[in-house]
Amino acid sequence: MEPWSKKHKAMCRANQGGVSHSLSNSFAQPLSHAELINLTLARGDRELVDAFECHSLVYTPNGGSRDLREEIAKLYGPAIGADNILVFAGGQVALQTAAFALAKNCHSITFTPGYQSTVESPAHAGGKITQIRLRAENGWQIDPAEVRAAIRNDTRYMVVNQPYNPAGTLMGPELQAELIALADAHDIRILSDEVYRLLEHDPRDRIPAMADAYPRGGISVVTMSKPWGGCGISIGWAACQDLSIKQRLVDVQYFGTACPSRASELQAIMVLRASNTILEKNLGIIRHNFCLLEKFMERYSDLFEWVPPNAGAIAFIKFKGPLTSEEFGNNLAEAGISVKPAYCFSDEVTEDIDFFRVGYGEEI
């Protein structure tokens, strides 16, 4: 299976230091370790800093240490505790592990265009998939009728991505509830890639985490990188209420990266204990940059169109000129600017999805 972003990395000379101006990044403003230490000390948590400076290099427990899992569980409702959390060395590993654990011997439903691991991870694990095409004219929203039509007798797994990458859009609670009811009626588990959750531009738009909303079959996957800018911490996790689902992930994780580093775990705890402060800062940057991007789109509406995003730090934009998104991206790369063309989000680029993604989560 060929990585969709491989061509983009070559175009943007990623191995030679990259281009001068990257609009490809999809994360919030990256933290520095010094900033993280200062936030921790300002909160009076000297013990946590000391633990980081003096921690043992012994293996951590498979699936993450309890103190980190307890902090993660606070992001969810009362039905989710430390025992419902499984820690990975990044969200990407969680997506792949879940696919090998749950989708290898069944039919799955995924949605395209999208992040390759959400679209193709069940196929990567050896399972069968039906990809449902999302469309700009429908606001990049999932159509439950198309999901219903795609369900087969052996469908047991569905992967959604909300907030949605690459467009930064978000389904409403009614649609989420309809998908859960449909899945529950057909014994289908739903993995929800929620890496942009908590970055809703208006908190009132936030929908429940899938792990909270679907007790029997919901799995939420999250990473430190997107909302908090903790990219280099390389910590992600899966949350679910059904412990039999968790055990299946544990059994597969055993053969992969089972133990995160203790340094990463302690940094992740620092981030989560400062979560409100970090998210407030990052959302301020995102809202400011979104206003700039919105003005650009209004000024050049004869050349560009979009479905305005309402979550995360990404937007999917259509160039209405004579170039494809790939040609447009190549020209920008030659000028030292990086965007992500449509081929980064689908193995088949047609006119209806020939958009390019930009990120606007970092300080400028």
Side-chain angles (χ1 to χ4, degrees), residues 23 167-169 199-202 205 282-299 306-317 358-364:
L23 296 177
T169 52
L199 289 182
E200 297 83 3
H201 301 176
D202 184 340
D205 291 334
N282 289 346
L283 279 166
I285 295 169
I286 287 169
R287 290 178 181 130
H288 171 76
N289 291 346
F290 175 78
C291 287
L292 298 177
L293 184 56
E294 191 173 41
K295 290 176 181 176
F296 174 89
M297 293 298 294
E298 291 172 357
R299 182 174 180 181
W306 66 347
V307 177
N310 61 347
I314 49 176
F316 212 28
I317 298 173
V358 298
Y360 55 93
E362 299 173 79
E363 290 177 333
I364 55 175

Side-chain angles (χ1 to χ4, degrees), residues 148-265:
R148 189 176 294 107
I151 294 175
R152 307 183 340 189
N153 290 336
D154 61 342
T155 305
R156 293 293 177 267
Y157 193 63
M158 185 189 309
V159 184
V160 300
N161 177 201
Q162 295 291 323
Y164 172 57
N165 178 15
T169 52
L170 177 64
M171 70 171 63
E174 298 84 5
L175 177 54
Q176 184 192 46
E178 189 171 356
L179 287 175
I180 290 172
L182 190 58
D184 194 34
H186 292 86
D187 195 25
I188 299 170
R189 299 180 179 93
I190 301 179
L191 182 144
S192 181
D193 179 334
E194 296 170 355
V195 299
Y196 295 100
R197 193 168 184 270
L198 305 181
L199 289 182
E200 297 83 3
H201 301 176
D202 184 340
R204 293 172 295 184
D205 291 334
R206 185 173 302 145
I207 59 175
M210 189 61 69
D212 285 322
Y214 187 15
R216 192 168 78 94
I219 308 154
S220 295
V221 168
V222 184
T223 179
M224 296 300 306
S225 62
K226 307 303 184 185
W228 297 281
C231 314
I233 295 175
S234 296
I235 288 286
W237 62 85
C240 60
Q241 293 189 45
D242 186 338
L243 294 180
S244 68
I245 293 177
K246 179 192 171 187
Q247 186 58 53
R248 290 179 68 173
L249 269 65
V250 168
D251 291 346
V252 173
Q253 186 190 43
Y254 177 84
F255 294 96
T257 308
C259 303
S261 81
R262 185 56 179 161
S264 292
E265 288 192 331

Side-chain angles (χ1 to χ4, degrees), residues 61-135:
N62 287 16
S65 299
R66 188 167 190 87
D67 53 1
L68 173 57
R69 291 186 287 112
E70 287 174 346
E71 291 294 332
I72 292 170
K74 294 174 184 177
L75 297 170
Y76 301 94
I80 301 288
D83 290 339
N84 302 96
I85 305 296
L86 192 63
V87 176
F88 295 88
Q92 172 85 298
V93 183
L95 292 172
Q96 297 301 318
T97 301
F100 276 88
L102 303 173
K104 186 175 182 179
N105 299 309
C106 69
H107 172 255
S108 300
I109 297 171
T110 65
F111 301 89
T112 183
Y115 182 53
Q116 188 171 10
S117 287
T118 63
V119 178
E120 293 206 325
S121 56
H124 187 227
K128 301 176 289 286
I129 64 169
T130 295
Q131 296 181 14
I132 296 177
R133 177 67 61 92
L134 304 183
R135 301 172 180 84

Side-chain angles (χ1 to χ4, degrees), residues 18-39:
V19 297
S20 302
H21 306 285
S22 178
L23 296 177
S24 296
N25 297 334
S26 59
F27 43 75
Q29 178 65 27
L31 288 160
S32 70
H33 181 64
E35 182 181 4
L36 199 50
I37 294 295
N38 289 338
L39 286 169

